Amino acid sequence: MAKVAFLLANGFEDSEMKNPYDAVKEAGHEAVIVGLEKGAECKGKKGTVSYTADVGASEVKAADFDAVVIPGGAAPEALRVNDAVVRFVKEVNEDGKLIAGICHGPQVMISADILKGKEATSFIGIRDDVKLAGADYRDEEVVVSENLVTSRTPKDEPAFIREILAKLS
């Protein structure tokens, strides 16, 4: 069983959190919601789901987790400017563990400076940012590059979830 951190803040894309989170739990893994602070309520931008942070970003260590999932929407913008979030993602990457981001999720990877020399995809609106961060951008439903898994939009969720579960097994 893997322990998976879901990085979350207000304004995340509802299905990009709910579907991978539910799939990870259904596969028997532990899913932990890491927010900007413990107990913070994180609401989806469409209002269909909300979650409470199990732990704050300043309290987590890479050694305690096997993977990180970063849903898209507006949340990655709030997450990427938090030093504790960026430190955590850098440490998880240094350990070679899975980091999966969909839609705007790769914004956190950009701020953690972990895309250089990797292949990646994202929501088209941040495509140039992904390229400028040193990634070889691919317009594909899911891109797996070493320990990173990236996808573009909610329609890519089945492929995104499939690759996350494959990496965890």
Side-chain angles (χ1 to χ4, degrees):
M1 179 179 90
K3 187 173 179 183
V4 182
F6 281 80
L7 296 182
L8 215 57
N10 272 324
F12 61 88
E13 179 65 48
D14 300 42
S15 67
E16 292 173 354
M17 170 59 187
K18 182 183 185 327
N19 296 333
Y21 180 79
D22 290 351
V24 163
K25 285 174 47 173
E26 285 165 19
H29 303 292
E30 182 181 355
V32 178
I33 298 169
V34 177
L36 295 175
E37 55 187 60
K38 182 179 180 168
E41 173 131 15
C42 303
K43 296 181 173 126
K45 73 178 193 176
K46 294 196 168 104
T48 64
V49 289
S50 69
Y51 297 88
T52 301
D54 298 312
V55 64
S58 63
E59 304 167 68
V60 293
K61 295 190 294 287
D64 297 334
F65 291 89
D66 301 297
V68 173
V69 177
I70 312 165
E77 191 69 42
L79 293 165
R80 73 185 303 191
V81 297
N82 181 284
D83 292 339
V85 169
V86 172
R87 170 199 49 80
F88 177 60
V89 171
K90 276 185 184 193
E91 289 172 0
V92 171
N93 186 64
E94 286 163 8
D95 291 348
K97 296 174 182 174
L98 169 65
I99 302 173
I102 186 168
C103 191
H104 285 79
Q107 287 180 311
V108 178
M109 298 175 180
I110 292 167
S111 294
D113 196 25
I114 64 170
L115 289 177
K116 277 188 189 70
K118 304 273 180 89
E119 293 178 352
T121 193
S122 66
F123 176 69
I124 195 164
I126 64 164
R127 173 190 60 198
D128 293 343
D129 305 296
V130 168
K131 289 179 181 177
L132 289 169
D136 180 5
Y137 184 85
R138 306 274 189 209
D139 185 14
E140 298 168 13
E141 67 177 0
V142 66
V143 175
V144 178
S145 185
E146 297 172 32
N147 63 313
L148 303 184
V149 174
T150 51
S151 281
R152 302 169 300 190
T153 66
K155 71 177 172 41
D156 299 329
E157 286 169 25
F160 183 64
I161 292 166
R162 179 189 71 229
E163 295 301 332
I164 289 170
L165 294 177
K167 287 265 191 197
L168 292 176
S169 63

